[in-house]
Amino acid sequence: MKLQHFLREAQQLSPNERVKLVEQLLDSLDQTDPTIDQAWLEACHQRAQAVDQGDLALIDFDQAVARLRQKLS
């Protein structure tokens, strides 16, 4: 079926049904790659470990924004 046909059909749904349809369509696009998820998880663990060991210093949000603004100006 063509996209326009689906659109016409969807427009006949109630607003609540259209919201559910949109949510389901968006969920179908939000599929993650387990390999990428695992890589992010490992990176987070490594950074947390670096902080715990004192190898990585944390700064607060205001300091980070100030540094970025200084670099961008």
Side-chain angles (χ1 to χ4, degrees):
M1 295 185 171
K2 303 236 180 218
L3 181 60
Q4 291 301 322
H5 174 75
F6 285 121
L7 182 57
R8 283 191 300 274
E9 292 290 319
Q11 289 170 333
Q12 294 178 24
L13 297 171
S14 71
N16 192 35
E17 291 172 320
R18 286 191 303 240
V19 168
K20 289 179 182 178
L21 175 61
V22 167
E23 288 173 345
Q24 290 178 4
L25 288 171
L26 289 173
D27 284 344
S28 74
L29 296 173
D30 194 23
Q31 308 224 344
T32 60
D33 181 340
T35 304
I36 294 172
D37 290 345
Q38 184 62 35
W40 274 111
L41 185 60
E42 289 173 13
C44 290
H45 285 289
Q46 289 171 355
R47 288 182 184 188
Q49 186 177 21
V51 169
D52 290 343
Q53 294 174 347
D55 297 331
L56 182 63
L58 298 178
I59 62 171
D60 68 28
F61 177 77
D62 292 332
Q63 286 178 313
V65 170
R67 287 184 185 181
L68 286 171
R69 285 187 176 143
Q70 185 178 14
K71 287 182 180 184
L72 294 174
S73 60

